[in-house]
Amino acid sequence: MDTMFNKKLALVFVFAASVFLVMNNNGVEASHNIYSRLQNAAAVEVKQLHRTGYHFQPPKHWINDPNAPMYFNGIYHLFYQYNPKGAVWGNIVWAHSVSKDLINWEALPPAIFPSKPFDINGTWSGSATILPGNKPIILYTGLDADKRQIQNYAIPANYSDPYLREWIKPDDNPIVVPSQEMNSSQFRDPTTAWWHNGHWRILVGGKRKHRGMAWLYRSIDFKYWVKAKHPLHSAPETGMWECPDFFPLALNGRSGVDTSKVGEDVKHILKVSLDETRYEYYTLGKYFPAKDRYVPDNTSVDGRAGLRLDYGNFYASKTFFDPSKNRRILWGWANESDAADDDKAKGWAGVQTIPRVVWLSPDGKQVVQWPIKELETLRGLKVDMNNQNVEQGQHVEVKEITAAQADVEVTFSLGSLDKAEEFDPNWANLDSQTVCSLRRSDIPGGVGPFGLLTLASQNLDEFTPVFFRVFKTKENKHKVLMCSDAKSSSLRPFNEKLYRPSFAGFVDVDLSANKKISLRSLIDHSVVESFGAGGKTCITSRVYPTLAINDAAHLFVFNNGTEPVTVQTLTAWSMNAPQQMNQNLEF
Ligand SMILES: *[C@@H]1O[C@H](CO)[C@@H](O)[C@H](O)[C@H]1NC(C)=O
Ligand SMILES: *[C@@H]1O[C@H](CO)[C@@H](O)[C@H](O)[C@H]1NC(C)=O
Ligand SMILES: *[C@@H]1O[C@H](CO)[C@@H](O)[C@H](O)[C@H]1NC(C)=O
Ligand SMILES: *[C@@H]1O[C@H](CO)[C@@H](O)[C@H](O)[C@H]1NC(C)=O
Ligand SMILES: *[C@@H]1O[C@H](CO)[C@@H](O)[C@H](O)[C@H]1NC(C)=O
Ligand SMILES: *[C@H]1O[C@@H](CO)[C@H](O)[C@@H](O)[C@@H]1NC(C)=O
């Protein structure tokens, strides 16, 4: 690391440390809990237990939002919110890693950190845009001396440096400041820009009263930005919108398209992260570029009950277009489910989920996701299980692979749907997670619960089941629920503050035709990232087994429904660890 950088950063941190000495109350910052006593408490020891084998994770300390993912001249860049000094949120800088394949990463010095009047109190999330002439530019939220949230830009110091190590924040920043009508503490996370008819456009997340807002700005030169009269979109009773993401998906096929693409052959997606609930939702809709309005389809619920990219620990997600492989890729942050003191003790917190390709379902009603193909290069030892019948109450082990670090794909086949239990009309107003909490894997059903028991101990004292349950509604339609239930994931006592939610989402599939449903789970010590029905419903759980660790972890298929289930095909792989180069992030 160059010494100039070291000196600059050392100064920043001496300064930062003195600031934090005078702040010692616990509070909340953009809904990150503030633990002042832990913010600067460097990891004494980094505990390996529960660290991931193939998910993106720095060697220690706190991470949150993925920032400005992009592809430039053969290299993928991932920036992310990082606390260099501790395992809870605070002291945030933009850490920077580069990769040729999105799997093996090399860590570089932080790209953006507080140093100028326009970001001296914070360098928060943002996005990258590749300007004409192949010139990347980053927009991010800075916190100025008055702690106002303002939008800044940063550009590479040397476009010829293949890794774009150093970023410059010119002195004509900020480029967007909150206007009179806004609360300057609720104005952040600029999107990737899109271009149409002579103007660039960006969104910035915000809130007015209790209405979530996607403020729209336009610019001709990317420097002078003017707020549009109307936001691109807003929705009542949703609270602060963080990390908006607005992008087109092709109506046909899985190829991605550039963020500026408009026309009859695409549909637009608006995703927002709800600060109040700490969940995201998205709508699909039509973008009218001439009027700069976005109108969600009437099949898309526009509010807290809307569709989610992931029904589990998944937040602040962001997509980018990868022109080298013509695909759109999604990154998301999976936070910990343990307490701040646990994070301090283990010396680290937060992982990024495996990058996923996103496309539109053929009926245009939802986004479909699948782990990037490159992940398969980490697959090692492989085992198969075919045409395995699983009767009610049975669980069958998938042996030989490293069950704590695995990738498993399975297709279940059902004889009949006749025994599907009734969907209680009283559940109509409940969210999927609550329905799962009422119908866990230990409540026998008709068709299901059946699925995988991940991170299971030999005698099932601990397990994280990922499963389906088929219901029949009054209208004689089938409704499929997918759950990833953390309740029995750890023997740690319930008075210890582990978050053990019964994450769940409904799966939009018609089982009546071929009576088959697939499931893929990426299992990685404390992460279970699952893709139901080819990626229609995705759920990420964070769990902390005490017995089902390393070689003592097991994987089973199970069925607790009266209808027998057949594992038509199952393939499971032990997963290797990628190369993590230059991982010394000490400053
Ligand atoms: C914000 O920056 C100003 C000016 O540098 C400083 O005086 C103030 O203490 C900072 N506030 C916080 C909370 O760090
Ligand atoms: C920019 O990067 C290129 C490639 O690494 C290098 O050859 C060149 O010396 C750099 N220019 C400056 C001014 O540092
Ligand atoms: C502005 O937003 C902050 C953070 O949500 C809140 O604490 C504050 O009360 C708001 N101020 C006004 C005037 O509404
Ligand atoms: C929803 O929109 C479609 C056209 O996009 C229309 O045909 C349909 O009638 C609408 N449904 C409702 C309930 O408004
Ligand atoms: C299946 O149901 C039985 C009976 O409730 C229960 O003991 C067992 O733990 C269940 N299996 C799973 C994986 O939940
Ligand atoms: C992740 O952690 C759990 C447990 O502390 C919280 O309940 C969630 O709100 C949190 N999620 C985010 C996105 O911060």
Side-chain angles (χ1 to χ4, degrees), residues 463-479:
F463 57 93
T464 301
V466 184
F467 62 96
F468 300 109
R469 190 164 198 127
V470 183
F471 297 99
K472 204 184 307 179
T473 64
K474 280 253 177 299
E475 299 77 37
N476 234 1
K477 290 224 170 78
H478 292 108
K479 219 172 153 68

Side-chain angles (χ1 to χ4, degrees), residues 157-162:
N158 180 357
Y159 291 95
S160 307
D161 170 10

Side-chain angles (χ1 to χ4, degrees), residues 364-423:
K365 288 192 181 151
Q366 69 163 103
V367 172
V368 187
Q369 305 162 61
W370 200 247
I372 51 163
K373 184 103 182 113
E374 289 89 332
L375 183 68
E376 295 167 23
T377 61
L378 297 179
R379 286 172 169 175
L381 179 75
K382 170 184 165 196
V383 298
D384 291 297
M385 180 188 282
N386 295 322
N387 299 315
Q388 169 74 51
N389 205 47
V390 193
E391 302 280 339
Q392 178 171 25
Q394 266 195 313
H395 58 282
V396 182
E397 182 159 13
V398 180
K399 289 193 176 137
E400 286 170 53
I401 55 153
T402 55
Q405 193 172 311
D407 179 358
V408 50
E409 290 193 54
V410 54
T411 299
F412 296 99
S413 162
L414 309 164
S416 152
L417 301 180
D418 294 347
K419 293 182 190 140
E421 63 202 282
E422 191 197 327
F423 189 78

